Amino acid sequence: MKLERLLTMIMILINRKKVTAQELAEVFNVSVRTIYRDIETLSCAGVPVISQQGAHGGISLIDGYRVDKQILTKDELASLTIAIKSALTTYEDSHAEAVLEKLTSIADDHVKQSMDHLFIDLSPWGPNILFKEHITILKSAIENRHCVSFNYSTTHGELTRRVVEPHTLVQKGKTWYLYGYCTLRMDFRLFKLARIKNLMQEDLHYERKEINLSELPWGKEWYQPQNVVDLVISFDMAVTTLVEESFGVEFVDHKQAKINISIPEDEWLYGFLLSFGNRIKVIEPPHIRDILQKRAQEIVQLYKNPDNS
């Protein structure tokens, strides 16, 4: 841990030129006295660290001090930086921030400009404080192998208290999930973060079970044949762009203005199809048409109430 802190400290000093001992102490969550001991260690190791007192003082390196920049190519540096910046839009990770600091410090001006050519923001629209907090808690629990507990609401409104051995955080599409072993169901489950409430990291430790992430275990159950429905949908040509974006251009028959797609059937699908209003119409299968018709009628009845209650 100390070696990692010393290396990160060097990278910070190269990148920022000058920083106070208090700032470094806050970055590494240690005391100022520990920082000064680290500086002494760096000096003994031959790293030219300078400490200046006063209002404009701070800790810095002698001008011209450099580290080897040949560890990664310029393209690799830019790609890694983009990936880390993207990850940090959804959760806080001091280790990732430290790595980003290191990469930035060894990048030349050309690479730094390339780092700004692409930015992927994985965070949801609007305030996401609780969302980030949940991911941060879960990431910590996974790293420390601590169980977590939370209230979980199913698509049918069933609310249960779960104790889970968290194994993996998964982002699938635009949604984040927790993949873990549920002690209530005695099996692995995929939990949507948006349905998790009152999340707590417990003191209870667990032994991590073997899972093969390369096989995407969270996708197997969803795409079981019995869960998949073959849809044929007609659409208004005025929303062709929206249809291509939502369903995928490869599933759109532009000549007939139809969509042919196989997709898992669940509550999400019904809401997704209804969100298009009268711009699309399900042709097959009949049972999906019946479900949508029933739900549309229920919506109409809801808004027929003159009291708006």
mmCIF file of all heavy atoms in Angstrom, residues 130-135 137-139 142 148-155 158-166 168-170 175-180 189-201:
data_model
loop_
_atom_site.group_PDB
_atom_site.id
_atom_site.type_symbol
_atom_site.label_atom_id
_atom_site.label_comp_id
_atom_site.label_asym_id
_atom_site.label_seq_id
_atom_site.Cartn_x
_atom_site.Cartn_y
_atom_site.Cartn_z
ATOM 1 N N LEU A 130 -27.634 9.454 -5.250
ATOM 2 C CA LEU A 130 -27.938 8.164 -4.635
ATOM 3 C C LEU A 130 -27.426 7.024 -5.511
ATOM 4 O O LEU A 130 -26.925 6.019 -5.011
ATOM 5 C CB LEU A 130 -29.443 8.032 -4.418
ATOM 6 C CG LEU A 130 -29.901 6.756 -3.684
ATOM 7 C CD1 LEU A 130 -29.268 6.687 -2.301
ATOM 8 C CD2 LEU A 130 -31.428 6.718 -3.577
ATOM 9 N N PHE A 131 -27.551 7.176 -6.823
ATOM 10 C CA PHE A 131 -27.092 6.157 -7.762
ATOM 11 C C PHE A 131 -25.585 5.937 -7.602
ATOM 12 O O PHE A 131 -25.119 4.807 -7.508
ATOM 13 C CB PHE A 131 -27.427 6.619 -9.184
ATOM 14 C CG PHE A 131 -26.966 5.673 -10.257
ATOM 15 C CD1 PHE A 131 -27.663 4.511 -10.522
ATOM 16 C CD2 PHE A 131 -25.827 5.954 -10.998
ATOM 17 C CE1 PHE A 131 -27.240 3.643 -11.518
ATOM 18 C CE2 PHE A 131 -25.402 5.096 -11.989
ATOM 19 C CZ PHE A 131 -26.110 3.938 -12.248
ATOM 20 N N LYS A 132 -24.824 7.020 -7.582
ATOM 21 C CA LYS A 132 -23.373 6.919 -7.403
ATOM 22 C C LYS A 132 -23.042 6.313 -6.046
ATOM 23 O O LYS A 132 -22.114 5.512 -5.911
ATOM 24 C CB LYS A 132 -22.721 8.302 -7.529
ATOM 25 C CG LYS A 132 -22.331 8.694 -8.934
ATOM 26 C CD LYS A 132 -21.430 9.918 -8.912
ATOM 27 C CE LYS A 132 -20.847 10.180 -10.291
ATOM 28 N NZ LYS A 132 -19.884 11.289 -10.287
ATOM 29 N N GLU A 133 -23.804 6.695 -5.036
ATOM 30 C CA GLU A 133 -23.559 6.185 -3.686
ATOM 31 C C GLU A 133 -23.763 4.673 -3.643
ATOM 32 O O GLU A 133 -22.964 3.945 -3.045
ATOM 33 C CB GLU A 133 -24.510 6.876 -2.709
ATOM 34 C CG GLU A 133 -24.348 6.427 -1.265
ATOM 35 C CD GLU A 133 -25.336 7.115 -0.350
ATOM 36 O OE1 GLU A 133 -25.452 8.357 -0.426
ATOM 37 O OE2 GLU A 133 -25.995 6.412 0.439
ATOM 38 N N HIS A 134 -24.813 4.182 -4.307
ATOM 39 C CA HIS A 134 -25.078 2.754 -4.336
ATOM 40 C C HIS A 134 -23.947 1.991 -5.028
ATOM 41 O O HIS A 134 -23.493 0.946 -4.533
ATOM 42 C CB HIS A 134 -26.397 2.484 -5.055
ATOM 43 C CG HIS A 134 -27.589 2.669 -4.168
ATOM 44 N ND1 HIS A 134 -28.878 2.392 -4.562
ATOM 45 C CD2 HIS A 134 -27.691 3.098 -2.888
ATOM 46 C CE1 HIS A 134 -29.716 2.631 -3.572
ATOM 47 N NE2 HIS A 134 -29.023 3.081 -2.548
ATOM 48 N N ILE A 135 -23.493 2.498 -6.159
ATOM 49 C CA ILE A 135 -22.415 1.821 -6.880
ATOM 50 C C ILE A 135 -21.139 1.815 -6.064
ATOM 51 O O ILE A 135 -20.405 0.819 -6.014
ATOM 52 C CB ILE A 135 -22.188 2.485 -8.255
ATOM 53 C CG1 ILE A 135 -23.361 2.168 -9.176
ATOM 54 C CG2 ILE A 135 -20.881 2.017 -8.883
ATOM 55 C CD1 ILE A 135 -23.188 2.616 -10.603
ATOM 56 N N ILE A 137 -20.866 1.919 -2.752
ATOM 57 C CA ILE A 137 -21.033 0.968 -1.647
ATOM 58 C C ILE A 137 -20.873 -0.469 -2.148
ATOM 59 O O ILE A 137 -20.179 -1.284 -1.532
ATOM 60 C CB ILE A 137 -22.415 1.150 -0.968
ATOM 61 C CG1 ILE A 137 -22.476 2.494 -0.235
ATOM 62 C CG2 ILE A 137 -22.692 0.000 0.005
ATOM 63 C CD1 ILE A 137 -23.848 2.819 0.314
ATOM 64 N N LEU A 138 -21.508 -0.778 -3.256
ATOM 65 C CA LEU A 138 -21.456 -2.142 -3.794
ATOM 66 C C LEU A 138 -20.050 -2.504 -4.264
ATOM 67 O O LEU A 138 -19.590 -3.631 -4.059
ATOM 68 C CB LEU A 138 -22.447 -2.289 -4.946
ATOM 69 C CG LEU A 138 -23.924 -2.245 -4.541
ATOM 70 C CD1 LEU A 138 -24.823 -2.151 -5.772
ATOM 71 C CD2 LEU A 138 -24.290 -3.475 -3.712
ATOM 72 N N LYS A 139 -19.361 -1.561 -4.883
ATOM 73 C CA LYS A 139 -17.994 -1.827 -5.322
ATOM 74 C C LYS A 139 -17.094 -2.122 -4.122
ATOM 75 O O LYS A 139 -16.267 -3.035 -4.148
ATOM 76 C CB LYS A 139 -17.450 -0.648 -6.113
ATOM 77 C CG LYS A 139 -16.062 -0.889 -6.700
ATOM 78 C CD LYS A 139 -15.637 0.283 -7.561
ATOM 79 C CE LYS A 139 -14.262 -0.008 -8.166
ATOM 80 N NZ LYS A 139 -13.215 -0.153 -7.150
ATOM 81 N N ILE A 142 -17.897 -5.612 -2.767
ATOM 82 C CA ILE A 142 -17.338 -6.662 -3.619
ATOM 83 C C ILE A 142 -15.842 -6.821 -3.369
ATOM 84 O O ILE A 142 -15.328 -7.934 -3.235
ATOM 85 C CB ILE A 142 -17.606 -6.349 -5.105
ATOM 86 C CG1 ILE A 142 -19.104 -6.458 -5.401
ATOM 87 C CG2 ILE A 142 -16.820 -7.305 -6.012
ATOM 88 C CD1 ILE A 142 -19.500 -5.947 -6.773
ATOM 89 N N VAL A 148 -24.165 -7.533 1.516
ATOM 90 C CA VAL A 148 -24.965 -6.312 1.554
ATOM 91 C C VAL A 148 -26.417 -6.697 1.810
ATOM 92 O O VAL A 148 -26.845 -7.812 1.497
ATOM 93 C CB VAL A 148 -24.859 -5.508 0.240
ATOM 94 C CG1 VAL A 148 -23.453 -4.970 0.041
ATOM 95 C CG2 VAL A 148 -25.285 -6.349 -0.959
ATOM 96 N N SER A 149 -27.157 -5.774 2.372
ATOM 97 C CA SER A 149 -28.585 -5.992 2.588
ATOM 98 C C SER A 149 -29.342 -4.807 2.011
ATOM 99 O O SER A 149 -28.834 -3.678 1.994
ATOM 100 C CB SER A 149 -28.894 -6.159 4.075
ATOM 101 O OG SER A 149 -28.562 -4.981 4.788
ATOM 102 N N PHE A 150 -30.563 -5.070 1.522
ATOM 103 C CA PHE A 150 -31.361 -3.996 0.947
ATOM 104 C C PHE A 150 -32.802 -4.462 0.776
ATOM 105 O O PHE A 150 -33.094 -5.662 0.782
ATOM 106 C CB PHE A 150 -30.800 -3.542 -0.409
ATOM 107 C CG PHE A 150 -30.533 -4.660 -1.383
ATOM 108 C CD1 PHE A 150 -31.555 -5.208 -2.151
ATOM 109 C CD2 PHE A 150 -29.245 -5.164 -1.533
ATOM 110 C CE1 PHE A 150 -31.306 -6.228 -3.058
ATOM 111 C CE2 PHE A 150 -28.984 -6.189 -2.429
ATOM 112 C CZ PHE A 150 -30.015 -6.717 -3.199
ATOM 113 N N ASN A 151 -33.690 -3.491 0.634
ATOM 114 C CA ASN A 151 -35.076 -3.780 0.268
ATOM 115 C C ASN A 151 -35.149 -3.813 -1.249
ATOM 116 O O ASN A 151 -34.621 -2.916 -1.923
ATOM 117 C CB ASN A 151 -36.019 -2.707 0.812
ATOM 118 C CG ASN A 151 -36.080 -2.722 2.322
ATOM 119 O OD1 ASN A 151 -35.901 -3.765 2.949
ATOM 120 N ND2 ASN A 151 -36.329 -1.569 2.922
ATOM 121 N N TYR A 152 -35.807 -4.852 -1.779
ATOM 122 C CA TYR A 152 -35.870 -4.981 -3.241
ATOM 123 C C TYR A 152 -37.308 -5.132 -3.697
ATOM 124 O O TYR A 152 -38.078 -5.927 -3.154
ATOM 125 C CB TYR A 152 -35.060 -6.187 -3.709
ATOM 126 C CG TYR A 152 -34.853 -6.204 -5.200
ATOM 127 C CD1 TYR A 152 -34.004 -5.284 -5.809
ATOM 128 C CD2 TYR A 152 -35.518 -7.125 -6.002
ATOM 129 C CE1 TYR A 152 -33.820 -5.275 -7.172
ATOM 130 C CE2 TYR A 152 -35.332 -7.129 -7.379
ATOM 131 C CZ TYR A 152 -34.474 -6.201 -7.959
ATOM 132 O OH TYR A 152 -34.286 -6.187 -9.319
ATOM 133 N N SER A 153 -37.653 -4.356 -4.721
ATOM 134 C CA SER A 153 -39.015 -4.384 -5.248
ATOM 135 C C SER A 153 -39.012 -5.057 -6.622
ATOM 136 O O SER A 153 -38.240 -4.677 -7.511
ATOM 137 C CB SER A 153 -39.553 -2.958 -5.391
ATOM 138 O OG SER A 153 -40.841 -2.964 -5.957
ATOM 139 N N THR A 154 -39.844 -6.074 -6.797
ATOM 140 C CA THR A 154 -39.951 -6.771 -8.079
ATOM 141 C C THR A 154 -40.842 -5.966 -9.027
ATOM 142 O O THR A 154 -41.450 -4.966 -8.633
ATOM 143 C CB THR A 154 -40.544 -8.175 -7.905
ATOM 144 O OG1 THR A 154 -41.915 -8.057 -7.479
ATOM 145 C CG2 THR A 154 -39.762 -8.960 -6.865
ATOM 146 N N THR A 155 -40.927 -6.418 -10.279
ATOM 147 C CA THR A 155 -41.780 -5.732 -11.257
ATOM 148 C C THR A 155 -43.248 -5.778 -10.851
ATOM 149 O O THR A 155 -44.047 -4.958 -11.297
ATOM 150 C CB THR A 155 -41.626 -6.379 -12.651
ATOM 151 O OG1 THR A 155 -41.885 -7.783 -12.551
ATOM 152 C CG2 THR A 155 -40.225 -6.162 -13.189
ATOM 153 N N GLU A 158 -43.717 -6.618 -5.354
ATOM 154 C CA GLU A 158 -43.399 -7.393 -4.163
ATOM 155 C C GLU A 158 -42.124 -6.846 -3.516
ATOM 156 O O GLU A 158 -41.085 -6.737 -4.168
ATOM 157 C CB GLU A 158 -43.190 -8.864 -4.531
ATOM 158 C CG GLU A 158 -42.783 -9.743 -3.340
ATOM 159 C CD GLU A 158 -42.370 -11.140 -3.764
ATOM 160 O OE1 GLU A 158 -42.401 -11.427 -4.974
ATOM 161 O OE2 GLU A 158 -41.990 -11.930 -2.876
ATOM 162 N N LEU A 159 -42.202 -6.500 -2.246
ATOM 163 C CA LEU A 159 -41.060 -5.920 -1.544
ATOM 164 C C LEU A 159 -40.496 -6.931 -0.553
ATOM 165 O O LEU A 159 -41.225 -7.445 0.302
ATOM 166 C CB LEU A 159 -41.471 -4.644 -0.800
ATOM 167 C CG LEU A 159 -40.347 -3.835 -0.147
ATOM 168 C CD1 LEU A 159 -39.404 -3.279 -1.207
ATOM 169 C CD2 LEU A 159 -40.915 -2.699 0.696
ATOM 170 N N THR A 160 -39.216 -7.223 -0.684
ATOM 171 C CA THR A 160 -38.570 -8.176 0.219
ATOM 172 C C THR A 160 -37.237 -7.607 0.678
ATOM 173 O O THR A 160 -36.624 -6.780 0.003
ATOM 174 C CB THR A 160 -38.316 -9.531 -0.474
ATOM 175 O OG1 THR A 160 -37.576 -9.314 -1.678
ATOM 176 C CG2 THR A 160 -39.615 -10.241 -0.787
ATOM 177 N N ARG A 161 -36.810 -8.086 1.865
ATOM 178 C CA ARG A 161 -35.494 -7.704 2.373
ATOM 179 C C ARG A 161 -34.508 -8.786 1.967
ATOM 180 O O ARG A 161 -34.720 -9.964 2.257
ATOM 181 C CB ARG A 161 -35.528 -7.559 3.905
ATOM 182 C CG ARG A 161 -34.240 -7.006 4.524
ATOM 183 C CD ARG A 161 -34.004 -5.579 4.143
ATOM 184 N NE ARG A 161 -32.754 -5.040 4.713
ATOM 185 C CZ ARG A 161 -32.273 -3.840 4.426
ATOM 186 N NH1 ARG A 161 -32.935 -3.047 3.589
ATOM 187 N NH2 ARG A 161 -31.145 -3.410 4.959
ATOM 188 N N ARG A 162 -33.455 -8.399 1.286
ATOM 189 C CA ARG A 162 -32.490 -9.366 0.778
ATOM 190 C C ARG A 162 -31.131 -9.185 1.461
ATOM 191 O O ARG A 162 -30.722 -8.064 1.752
ATOM 192 C CB ARG A 162 -32.292 -9.206 -0.732
ATOM 193 C CG ARG A 162 -33.571 -9.242 -1.567
ATOM 194 C CD ARG A 162 -34.249 -10.589 -1.536
ATOM 195 N NE ARG A 162 -35.417 -10.615 -2.405
ATOM 196 C CZ ARG A 162 -35.419 -11.078 -3.642
ATOM 197 N NH1 ARG A 162 -34.326 -11.586 -4.163
ATOM 198 N NH2 ARG A 162 -36.521 -11.058 -4.363
ATOM 199 N N VAL A 163 -30.462 -10.307 1.688
ATOM 200 C CA VAL A 163 -29.052 -10.314 2.075
ATOM 201 C C VAL A 163 -28.320 -11.015 0.939
ATOM 202 O O VAL A 163 -28.639 -12.153 0.599
ATOM 203 C CB VAL A 163 -28.821 -11.045 3.411
ATOM 204 C CG1 VAL A 163 -27.323 -11.107 3.724
ATOM 205 C CG2 VAL A 163 -29.575 -10.339 4.540
ATOM 206 N N VAL A 164 -27.371 -10.325 0.335
ATOM 207 C CA VAL A 164 -26.752 -10.808 -0.900
ATOM 208 C C VAL A 164 -25.236 -10.798 -0.794
ATOM 209 O O VAL A 164 -24.639 -9.884 -0.199
ATOM 210 C CB VAL A 164 -27.195 -9.927 -2.097
ATOM 211 C CG1 VAL A 164 -26.449 -10.302 -3.374
ATOM 212 C CG2 VAL A 164 -28.703 -10.031 -2.304
ATOM 213 N N GLU A 165 -24.619 -11.818 -1.371
ATOM 214 C CA GLU A 165 -23.169 -11.862 -1.532
ATOM 215 C C GLU A 165 -22.859 -11.251 -2.891
ATOM 216 O O GLU A 165 -23.040 -11.883 -3.925
ATOM 217 C CB GLU A 165 -22.657 -13.304 -1.467
ATOM 218 C CG GLU A 165 -22.973 -14.005 -0.146
ATOM 219 C CD GLU A 165 -22.601 -15.477 -0.175
ATOM 220 O OE1 GLU A 165 -22.086 -15.946 -1.222
ATOM 221 O OE2 GLU A 165 -22.823 -16.165 0.835
ATOM 222 N N PRO A 166 -22.418 -9.991 -2.922
ATOM 223 C CA PRO A 166 -22.233 -9.306 -4.212
ATOM 224 C C PRO A 166 -20.995 -9.805 -4.957
ATOM 225 O O PRO A 166 -19.918 -9.904 -4.375
ATOM 226 C CB PRO A 166 -22.074 -7.843 -3.799
ATOM 227 C CG PRO A 166 -21.464 -7.907 -2.431
ATOM 228 C CD PRO A 166 -22.059 -9.131 -1.775
ATOM 229 N N THR A 168 -20.615 -9.109 -8.843
ATOM 230 C CA THR A 168 -20.270 -8.306 -10.016
ATOM 231 C C THR A 168 -21.289 -7.186 -10.216
ATOM 232 O O THR A 168 -22.489 -7.398 -10.077
ATOM 233 C CB THR A 168 -20.261 -9.180 -11.291
ATOM 234 O OG1 THR A 168 -19.452 -10.329 -11.076
ATOM 235 C CG2 THR A 168 -19.727 -8.405 -12.481
ATOM 236 N N LEU A 169 -20.793 -5.995 -10.568
ATOM 237 C CA LEU A 169 -21.649 -4.901 -11.014
ATOM 238 C C LEU A 169 -21.721 -4.975 -12.531
ATOM 239 O O LEU A 169 -20.700 -5.082 -13.211
ATOM 240 C CB LEU A 169 -21.090 -3.553 -10.575
ATOM 241 C CG LEU A 169 -21.386 -3.144 -9.133
ATOM 242 C CD1 LEU A 169 -20.526 -1.962 -8.726
ATOM 243 C CD2 LEU A 169 -22.856 -2.795 -8.967
ATOM 244 N N VAL A 170 -22.934 -4.923 -13.066
ATOM 245 C CA VAL A 170 -23.137 -5.107 -14.498
ATOM 246 C C VAL A 170 -23.896 -3.913 -15.078
ATOM 247 O O VAL A 170 -24.928 -3.513 -14.537
ATOM 248 C CB VAL A 170 -23.961 -6.393 -14.775
ATOM 249 C CG1 VAL A 170 -24.151 -6.595 -16.273
ATOM 250 C CG2 VAL A 170 -23.299 -7.604 -14.141
ATOM 251 N N THR A 175 -28.852 0.334 -18.184
ATOM 252 C CA THR A 175 -29.251 0.005 -16.815
ATOM 253 C C THR A 175 -28.135 -0.713 -16.078
ATOM 254 O O THR A 175 -27.436 -1.552 -16.640
ATOM 255 C CB THR A 175 -30.520 -0.882 -16.832
ATOM 256 O OG1 THR A 175 -31.528 -0.238 -17.613
ATOM 257 C CG2 THR A 175 -31.044 -1.104 -15.425
ATOM 258 N N TRP A 176 -27.979 -0.373 -14.787
ATOM 259 C CA TRP A 176 -26.997 -1.022 -13.920
ATOM 260 C C TRP A 176 -27.673 -2.099 -13.079
ATOM 261 O O TRP A 176 -28.798 -1.921 -12.598
ATOM 262 C CB TRP A 176 -26.346 0.001 -12.991
ATOM 263 C CG TRP A 176 -25.206 0.734 -13.627
ATOM 264 C CD1 TRP A 176 -25.270 1.913 -14.316
ATOM 265 C CD2 TRP A 176 -23.824 0.354 -13.619
ATOM 266 N NE1 TRP A 176 -24.019 2.276 -14.751
ATOM 267 C CE2 TRP A 176 -23.102 1.349 -14.331
ATOM 268 C CE3 TRP A 176 -23.125 -0.733 -13.079
ATOM 269 C CZ2 TRP A 176 -21.732 1.281 -14.515
ATOM 270 C CZ3 TRP A 176 -21.751 -0.794 -13.265
ATOM 271 C CH2 TRP A 176 -21.062 0.204 -13.969
ATOM 272 N N TYR A 177 -26.959 -3.220 -12.890
ATOM 273 C CA TYR A 177 -27.452 -4.346 -12.105
ATOM 274 C C TYR A 177 -26.369 -4.815 -11.135
ATOM 275 O O TYR A 177 -25.176 -4.574 -11.337
ATOM 276 C CB TYR A 177 -27.820 -5.526 -13.003
ATOM 277 C CG TYR A 177 -28.907 -5.262 -14.014
ATOM 278 C CD1 TYR A 177 -28.596 -4.730 -15.260
ATOM 279 C CD2 TYR A 177 -30.237 -5.559 -13.737
ATOM 280 C CE1 TYR A 177 -29.587 -4.493 -16.204
ATOM 281 C CE2 TYR A 177 -31.237 -5.335 -14.674
ATOM 282 C CZ TYR A 177 -30.900 -4.797 -15.909
ATOM 283 O OH TYR A 177 -31.884 -4.569 -16.830
ATOM 284 N N LEU A 178 -26.815 -5.513 -10.097
ATOM 285 C CA LEU A 178 -25.919 -6.228 -9.200
ATOM 286 C C LEU A 178 -26.141 -7.718 -9.424
ATOM 287 O O LEU A 178 -27.276 -8.202 -9.357
ATOM 288 C CB LEU A 178 -26.216 -5.885 -7.737
ATOM 289 C CG LEU A 178 -25.530 -6.787 -6.696
ATOM 290 C CD1 LEU A 178 -24.017 -6.604 -6.728
ATOM 291 C CD2 LEU A 178 -26.084 -6.520 -5.300
ATOM 292 N N TYR A 179 -25.072 -8.438 -9.705
ATOM 293 C CA TYR A 179 -25.147 -9.885 -9.855
ATOM 294 C C TYR A 179 -24.533 -10.506 -8.611
ATOM 295 O O TYR A 179 -23.359 -10.276 -8.301
ATOM 296 C CB TYR A 179 -24.380 -10.330 -11.103
ATOM 297 C CG TYR A 179 -24.489 -11.816 -11.407
ATOM 298 C CD1 TYR A 179 -25.696 -12.381 -11.791
ATOM 299 C CD2 TYR A 179 -23.372 -12.641 -11.312
ATOM 300 C CE1 TYR A 179 -25.795 -13.738 -12.084
ATOM 301 C CE2 TYR A 179 -23.463 -13.996 -11.611
ATOM 302 C CZ TYR A 179 -24.682 -14.536 -11.991
ATOM 303 O OH TYR A 179 -24.778 -15.870 -12.273
ATOM 304 N N GLY A 180 -25.339 -11.252 -7.862
ATOM 305 C CA GLY A 180 -24.839 -11.806 -6.613
ATOM 306 C C GLY A 180 -25.660 -12.997 -6.140
ATOM 307 O O GLY A 180 -26.734 -13.297 -6.686
ATOM 308 N N ARG A 189 -28.753 -14.156 -8.474
ATOM 309 C CA ARG A 189 -29.811 -13.333 -9.018
ATOM 310 C C ARG A 189 -29.211 -12.045 -9.584
ATOM 311 O O ARG A 189 -28.123 -11.617 -9.212
ATOM 312 C CB ARG A 189 -30.841 -12.974 -7.939
ATOM 313 C CG ARG A 189 -31.739 -14.137 -7.519
ATOM 314 C CD ARG A 189 -32.709 -14.512 -8.622
ATOM 315 N NE ARG A 189 -33.692 -15.482 -8.193
ATOM 316 C CZ ARG A 189 -33.542 -16.795 -8.248
ATOM 317 N NH1 ARG A 189 -32.393 -17.302 -8.712
ATOM 318 N NH2 ARG A 189 -34.494 -17.616 -7.848
ATOM 319 N N LEU A 190 -29.969 -11.437 -10.499
ATOM 320 C CA LEU A 190 -29.595 -10.156 -11.071
ATOM 321 C C LEU A 190 -30.544 -9.102 -10.520
ATOM 322 O O LEU A 190 -31.758 -9.186 -10.732
ATOM 323 C CB LEU A 190 -29.693 -10.220 -12.601
ATOM 324 C CG LEU A 190 -28.977 -9.139 -13.404
ATOM 325 C CD1 LEU A 190 -27.474 -9.199 -13.178
ATOM 326 C CD2 LEU A 190 -29.290 -9.280 -14.883
ATOM 327 N N PHE A 191 -30.013 -8.114 -9.793
ATOM 328 C CA PHE A 191 -30.839 -7.090 -9.145
ATOM 329 C C PHE A 191 -30.644 -5.747 -9.851
ATOM 330 O O PHE A 191 -29.516 -5.281 -10.005
ATOM 331 C CB PHE A 191 -30.456 -6.934 -7.667
ATOM 332 C CG PHE A 191 -30.619 -8.193 -6.855
ATOM 333 C CD1 PHE A 191 -29.538 -9.038 -6.640
ATOM 334 C CD2 PHE A 191 -31.842 -8.527 -6.311
ATOM 335 C CE1 PHE A 191 -29.668 -10.197 -5.895
ATOM 336 C CE2 PHE A 191 -31.993 -9.687 -5.559
ATOM 337 C CZ PHE A 191 -30.906 -10.523 -5.354
ATOM 338 N N LYS A 192 -31.740 -5.145 -10.248
ATOM 339 C CA LYS A 192 -31.671 -3.830 -10.873
ATOM 340 C C LYS A 192 -31.437 -2.779 -9.791
ATOM 341 O O LYS A 192 -32.184 -2.708 -8.806
ATOM 342 C CB LYS A 192 -32.972 -3.536 -11.634
ATOM 343 C CG LYS A 192 -32.943 -2.225 -12.411
ATOM 344 C CD LYS A 192 -34.237 -2.003 -13.178
ATOM 345 C CE LYS A 192 -34.336 -2.927 -14.365
ATOM 346 N NZ LYS A 192 -35.495 -2.579 -15.229
ATOM 347 N N LEU A 193 -30.404 -1.945 -9.967
ATOM 348 C CA LEU A 193 -30.046 -0.966 -8.940
ATOM 349 C C LEU A 193 -31.171 0.024 -8.672
ATOM 350 O O LEU A 193 -31.330 0.510 -7.544
ATOM 351 C CB LEU A 193 -28.769 -0.207 -9.337
ATOM 352 C CG LEU A 193 -27.470 -0.720 -8.684
ATOM 353 C CD1 LEU A 193 -27.206 -2.163 -9.081
ATOM 354 C CD2 LEU A 193 -26.290 0.161 -9.057
ATOM 355 N N ALA A 194 -31.962 0.327 -9.687
ATOM 356 C CA ALA A 194 -33.051 1.294 -9.517
ATOM 357 C C ALA A 194 -34.117 0.793 -8.560
ATOM 358 O O ALA A 194 -34.899 1.585 -8.026
ATOM 359 C CB ALA A 194 -33.679 1.616 -10.875
ATOM 360 N N ARG A 195 -34.165 -0.528 -8.309
ATOM 361 C CA ARG A 195 -35.174 -1.099 -7.412
ATOM 362 C C ARG A 195 -34.622 -1.382 -6.021
ATOM 363 O O ARG A 195 -35.297 -1.966 -5.180
ATOM 364 C CB ARG A 195 -35.724 -2.395 -8.009
ATOM 365 C CG ARG A 195 -36.441 -2.192 -9.336
ATOM 366 C CD ARG A 195 -36.922 -3.508 -9.889
ATOM 367 N NE ARG A 195 -37.459 -3.366 -11.233
ATOM 368 C CZ ARG A 195 -37.682 -4.382 -12.046
ATOM 369 N NH1 ARG A 195 -37.423 -5.616 -11.639
ATOM 370 N NH2 ARG A 195 -38.162 -4.186 -13.263
ATOM 371 N N ILE A 196 -33.374 -1.029 -5.798
ATOM 372 C CA ILE A 196 -32.739 -1.266 -4.503
ATOM 373 C C ILE A 196 -32.932 -0.053 -3.604
ATOM 374 O O ILE A 196 -32.649 1.076 -4.003
ATOM 375 C CB ILE A 196 -31.236 -1.567 -4.676
ATOM 376 C CG1 ILE A 196 -31.050 -2.944 -5.324
ATOM 377 C CG2 ILE A 196 -30.508 -1.501 -3.338
ATOM 378 C CD1 ILE A 196 -29.598 -3.308 -5.597
ATOM 379 N N LYS A 197 -33.402 -0.294 -2.385
ATOM 380 C CA LYS A 197 -33.610 0.780 -1.407
ATOM 381 C C LYS A 197 -32.961 0.371 -0.080
ATOM 382 O O LYS A 197 -32.839 -0.804 0.237
ATOM 383 C CB LYS A 197 -35.109 1.028 -1.178
ATOM 384 C CG LYS A 197 -35.875 1.424 -2.440
ATOM 385 C CD LYS A 197 -35.481 2.796 -2.937
ATOM 386 C CE LYS A 197 -36.382 3.252 -4.087
ATOM 387 N NZ LYS A 197 -36.253 2.425 -5.297
ATOM 388 N N ASN A 198 -32.558 1.372 0.687
ATOM 389 C CA ASN A 198 -31.974 1.150 2.022
ATOM 390 C C ASN A 198 -30.793 0.170 1.956
ATOM 391 O O ASN A 198 -30.716 -0.795 2.723
ATOM 392 C CB ASN A 198 -33.036 0.626 2.993
ATOM 393 C CG ASN A 198 -34.218 1.575 3.130
ATOM 394 O OD1 ASN A 198 -34.048 2.788 3.153
ATOM 395 N ND2 ASN A 198 -35.415 1.019 3.211
ATOM 396 N N LEU A 199 -29.881 0.451 1.052
ATOM 397 C CA LEU A 199 -28.711 -0.403 0.869
ATOM 398 C C LEU A 199 -27.722 -0.228 2.016
ATOM 399 O O LEU A 199 -27.404 0.898 2.405
ATOM 400 C CB LEU A 199 -28.029 -0.063 -0.456
ATOM 401 C CG LEU A 199 -26.696 -0.766 -0.760
ATOM 402 C CD1 LEU A 199 -26.905 -2.269 -0.910
ATOM 403 C CD2 LEU A 199 -26.080 -0.168 -2.024
ATOM 404 N N MET A 200 -27.234 -1.351 2.555
ATOM 405 C CA MET A 200 -26.265 -1.319 3.650
ATOM 406 C C MET A 200 -25.186 -2.380 3.425
ATOM 407 O O MET A 200 -25.491 -3.483 2.977
ATOM 408 C CB MET A 200 -26.942 -1.570 5.001
ATOM 409 C CG MET A 200 -27.930 -0.510 5.424
ATOM 410 S SD MET A 200 -28.687 -0.930 7.016
ATOM 411 C CE MET A 200 -27.231 -0.999 8.070
ATOM 412 N N GLN A 201 -23.947 -2.025 3.720
ATOM 413 C CA GLN A 201 -22.872 -3.009 3.695
ATOM 414 C C GLN A 201 -22.775 -3.646 5.073
ATOM 415 O O GLN A 201 -22.666 -2.949 6.085
ATOM 416 C CB GLN A 201 -21.541 -2.345 3.326
ATOM 417 C CG GLN A 201 -20.392 -3.339 3.217
ATOM 418 C CD GLN A 201 -19.102 -2.716 2.704
ATOM 419 O OE1 GLN A 201 -18.058 -3.358 2.686
ATOM 420 N NE2 GLN A 201 -19.149 -1.455 2.284
#
